[in-house]
Amino acid sequence: MVVMVSVFRHRVLTITNIFLSIGKPTKRLFSHQLVVDDPNRKVASSFCDSLREGLNWDSLSRKYDSASLDDPIIEKVLLEFKEPIEAKRALNFFHWVAHNNKIGHRLKHYCITIHILARARLVNDARSLLESILLRYDEIEVNSSLRFHIVDMLLDTYKITNSCPFVFDLLVQSYSKLRMYNAAFDVCCYLDECGFSLSLVTFNTLLHVIQKSPDGSNLIWEVYGHMIQKRTNPNDATLRIMINALCKAGELQKYMDIVFRIHGKGCSPMVAVNTSLVFRMLGEGRIEKGLVLLKRLLQNKLLLDDVSYSLVVYARLRSGELDLAREVYEQMLSSGFLPNSFIYTLFIGGYCEEGMVEEALKLMDEMVNLGLKPYDDTYNSLIMACANVGALGDSYRLCVEMSEKGFLPSTTAFNEMVGKLCQSGNMKQANDILTVLMEKGYLPDETTFLHLIDGYGRESNFQEVLKLYYEMEFRSLSPGLPVFTSLIKTLCKCRKLEKADKYLTIMKKQSLNPTICIYESLISAHLENGNTERAHHLYHEMIQIEA
């Protein structure tokens, strides 16, 4: 009786195990017992067995010489080896197929293999295949409508390979290595929309490549801002890359100065880098995005509190919200932070833009009384504003004061002041201040000389006009059409017609077409001087130009 029970129990267990094995087949069952009704699966299973037995390529080629390797068979074999322990077999099969199959691999085969290799941390092999398909599909990647063809296939094959997010880091790193950095950043943003975040190493790789490129000055800040927004905090390597980017653009000192004017003492280069990031976004008018990024930086302690307040004031003033900017400033003071030169300069600039010049001048006095030092931006705003409202005395005084403190005005501010001085007949003041500034290193442009030439022309002072023209040539400033127009009109007005004709010839040699205004001035002057033949000749030239 005991023997019968034992035999019965053994049979039950055997039957039970058979049913369990049908419900959850092992790899060996998957390869042998369930392939009867699927020829492709049978061929794939045979390949798997041969590879596991260690057959070399020649043996495989002889054994499967007549086998038809279609896509389903290749995919089945690759997926049989998707576990990390068999990843090298998958790679071996992939390369054997590439060597023996005239058709070559489909993109899907590449992506399945890359997933398997990435999951097994066979990094070099995965990168090699990624670079291969990126170069192979280079034209597709350039075409923006098909930009995500490769990444979509990687996403489509992600689950069936039990892959890991690391594969997408390798993808973007491969884009970066091949210097396809625009595509790399597009894919980075696309992956983020699909729920995949990249590692700091990947971001640093991309930033490094962009920083080394000759045309990546804007993109590098886009990538860095995206990285911060996605809560990937920079490290020392990131900082070195971004500082190099600032140095390359010649802007490191600019942002170090901004932070110093706000904070009043030294700070880490990271603060200067992040100030640059936010300042750029706000300056480009991306106010709300800039403020969101500013908040993120502050939360992660990547920016100082007083710098953050000051940048918010800057944002509100950029939006034309003067009253809201004042509220932020009052909140800053009530939080225990001291006023600073940067914020005073921002408000002075804001008042100047609104035409509130008296209020701006009062703020300047208040700033000085607090012991805060005005700097070039402070003076430039006031010089321009005063000139615009006709307060030329204040404009000139501020320009002199600025130069005495070691600053040089911006070309725009100085030209605004000189233009108004010349229009009002203050030629000596205009010429004197230009001489003083040039001795200190100021470089005038064509507009500066044009204002002075126009001013002396109104006074019929052709000697000074010619001096200015010669000085332009000496400084390698090519006189344009407005300068020649003013010069020739002045010479005609002063009856220096030989010189006027001389400069007309020079104009033509420089491929500058004389205007009707120039011809009319010359014709009128020659007629008044009794030289009708020359006047008629010029008239026919003018008619030909009009025709």
Side-chain angles (χ1 to χ4, degrees):
M1 183 69 178
V2 174
V3 174
M4 290 180 63
V5 171
S6 177
V7 170
F8 177 74
R9 184 178 297 164
H10 175 73
R11 288 179 179 176
V12 170
L13 287 172
T14 302
I15 293 169
T16 303
N17 287 335
I18 289 172
F19 277 104
L20 286 172
S21 66
I22 292 173
K24 294 183 178 179
T26 64
K27 286 186 181 177
R28 302 305 294 174
L29 283 170
F30 180 74
S31 299
H32 295 288
Q33 291 179 332
L34 301 180
V35 297
V36 178
D37 298 324
D38 188 347
N40 285 340
R41 195 178 290 271
K42 187 174 183 179
V43 175
S45 176
S46 177
F47 264 109
C48 292
D49 289 341
S50 298
L51 287 163
R52 285 180 176 126
E53 289 168 7
L55 266 63
N56 60 29
W57 281 16
D58 290 337
S59 300
L60 286 172
S61 298
R62 285 194 298 271
K63 184 174 181 179
Y64 299 102
D65 180 50
S66 60
S68 177
L69 280 177
D70 57 10
D71 289 350
I73 292 176
I74 295 172
E75 289 172 24
K76 282 179 172 62
V77 174
L78 288 173
L79 289 172
E80 265 288 279
F81 297 131
K82 67 183 177 182
E83 295 304 320
I85 195 171
E86 293 193 296
K88 288 189 177 180
R89 290 195 177 102
L91 181 62
N92 188 28
F93 175 71
F94 178 89
H95 286 313
W96 179 81
V97 171
H99 181 73
N100 287 271
N101 193 347
K102 294 180 181 179
I103 299 175
H105 280 300
R106 302 280 189 261
L107 177 60
K108 188 175 183 180
H109 304 159
Y110 272 94
C111 291
I112 289 172
T113 309
I114 288 164
H115 279 303
I116 293 169
L117 296 172
R119 185 179 172 212
R121 285 301 191 268
L122 297 175
V123 175
N124 291 334
D125 294 313
R127 277 185 178 146
S128 178
L129 292 189
L130 279 166
E131 289 171 21
S132 178
I133 59 172
L134 290 180
L135 291 172
R136 178 181 172 184
Y137 289 87
D138 183 43
E139 292 182 5
I140 289 178
E141 291 303 306
V142 172
N143 185 336
S144 59
S145 64
L146 298 170
R147 171 61 55 84
F148 306 118
H149 186 63
I150 293 173
V151 70
D152 278 338
M153 183 58 74
L154 283 170
L155 288 167
D156 288 344
T157 52
Y158 184 82
K159 287 186 178 180
I160 62 172
T161 54
N162 293 335
S163 191
C164 56
F166 176 63
V167 71
F168 299 115
D169 283 294
L170 289 179
L171 172 64
V172 175
Q173 289 173 26
S174 298
Y175 271 116
S176 302
K177 183 180 177 182
L178 297 173
R179 300 200 175 278
M180 300 163 68
Y181 39 81
N182 286 300
F185 184 49
D186 286 346
V187 168
C188 174
C189 296
Y190 184 65
L191 285 169
D192 184 72
E193 292 173 4
C194 296
F196 291 95
S197 299
L198 300 177
S199 70
L200 179 58
V201 172
T202 300
F203 276 114
N204 283 348
T205 302
L206 179 55
L207 289 170
H208 176 74
V209 171
I210 297 171
Q211 191 270 316
K212 292 292 183 182
S213 69
D215 56 350
S217 56
N218 292 325
L219 181 61
I220 193 169
W221 294 102
E222 286 291 319
V223 174
Y224 182 64
H226 178 83
M227 169 183 155
I228 299 295
Q229 285 174 336
K230 300 307 169 184
R231 301 180 186 277
T232 304
N233 287 345
N235 61 5
D236 289 341
T238 322
L239 178 59
R240 285 194 295 272
I241 294 167
M242 300 313 296
I243 287 175
N244 286 337
L246 284 175
C247 290
K248 186 177 179 180
E251 294 181 331
L252 179 60
Q253 191 59 51
K254 170 186 173 181
Y255 290 104
M256 292 293 284
D257 287 344
I258 287 175
V259 174
F260 179 78
R261 286 161 187 158
I262 296 171
H263 195 59
K265 54 186 175 181
C267 63
S268 71
M270 179 65 78
V271 175
V273 167
N274 292 328
T275 299
S276 169
L277 173 63
V278 177
F279 200 86
R280 287 166 190 275
M281 294 184 71
L282 299 177
E284 292 167 1
R286 294 183 291 164
I287 306 299
E288 296 310 317
K289 285 186 177 180
L291 290 174
V292 170
L293 188 63
L294 177 60
K295 184 178 179 181
R296 183 87 68 238
L297 289 167
L298 193 58
Q299 288 172 340
N300 294 329
K301 298 182 179 180
L302 296 172
L303 211 56
L304 300 170
D305 289 342
D306 52 354
V307 174
S308 299
Y309 269 118
S310 299
L311 289 175
V312 173
V313 171
Y314 174 64
R316 294 310 173 197
L317 288 172
R318 282 287 301 177
S319 301
E321 301 169 303
L322 189 57
D323 291 337
L324 190 53
R326 286 198 200 96
E327 288 181 18
V328 175
Y329 178 59
E330 292 299 328
Q331 184 181 348
M332 172 183 165
L333 295 179
S334 64
S335 298
F337 296 102
L338 298 174
N340 60 68
S341 299
F342 179 75
I343 281 192
Y344 263 95
T345 297
L346 289 178
F347 278 114
I348 286 170
Y351 281 128
C352 287
E353 287 179 9
E354 296 293 323
M356 303 165 66
V357 179
E358 288 187 12
E359 289 82 350
L361 288 169
K362 287 178 182 177
L363 269 184
M364 176 69 149
D365 292 337
E366 184 180 313
M367 177 181 180
V368 173
N369 291 334
L370 286 172
L372 300 174
K373 295 181 180 180
Y375 52 96
D376 50 359
D377 288 347
T378 323
Y379 284 109
N380 284 328
S381 295
L382 286 166
I383 289 168
M384 283 187 67
C386 289
N388 281 328
V389 298
L392 296 179
D394 286 325
S395 186
Y396 185 84
R397 172 182 61 80
L398 288 164
C399 191
V400 172
E401 182 182 314
M402 179 182 193
S403 67
E404 289 174 348
K405 291 187 176 181
F407 298 111
L408 291 175
S410 67
T411 304
T412 304
F414 184 73
N415 284 344
E416 188 69 31
M417 182 192 71
V418 167
K420 293 297 172 62
L421 286 172
C422 292
Q423 287 174 16
S424 63
N426 294 314
M427 296 308 302
K428 186 176 185 313
Q429 271 190 322
N431 211 352
D432 287 349
I433 191 65
L434 176 60
T435 303
V436 169
L437 292 177
M438 284 170 61
E439 289 174 353
K440 295 184 177 183
Y442 180 76
L443 298 175
D445 64 0
E446 183 186 347
T447 303
T448 314
F449 283 102
L450 178 60
H451 286 319
L452 290 163
I453 288 171
D454 281 344
Y456 281 119
R458 281 188 289 269
E459 295 179 354
S460 299
N461 190 342
F462 73 91
Q463 292 96 339
E464 289 296 332
V465 168
L466 287 172
K467 281 182 186 177
L468 289 163
Y469 175 83
Y470 297 144
E471 188 170 351
M472 285 187 74
E473 286 191 323
F474 175 75
R475 294 182 174 277
S476 300
L477 285 172
S478 300
L481 184 59
V483 170
F484 275 109
T485 301
S486 185
L487 170 61
I488 292 171
K489 285 176 70 176
T490 299
L491 292 171
C492 289
K493 183 179 177 183
C494 298
R495 295 295 182 267
K496 302 295 177 181
L497 299 184
E498 287 185 11
K499 289 184 179 296
D501 286 338
K502 170 187 170 184
Y503 288 106
L504 178 67
T505 303
I506 291 173
M507 271 189 77
K508 294 175 183 176
K509 287 181 179 178
Q510 294 182 7
S511 300
L512 291 170
N513 296 322
T515 61
I516 301 300
C517 175
I518 290 175
Y519 275 113
E520 287 178 345
S521 297
L522 285 164
I523 291 167
S524 177
H526 278 293
L527 286 174
E528 289 179 12
N529 208 38
N531 192 347
T532 56
E533 183 179 351
R534 177 62 177 162
H536 279 99
H537 176 77
L538 290 168
Y539 176 75
H540 287 301
E541 273 190 21
M542 182 178 72
I543 294 300
Q544 287 176 351
I545 290 174
E546 286 185 313

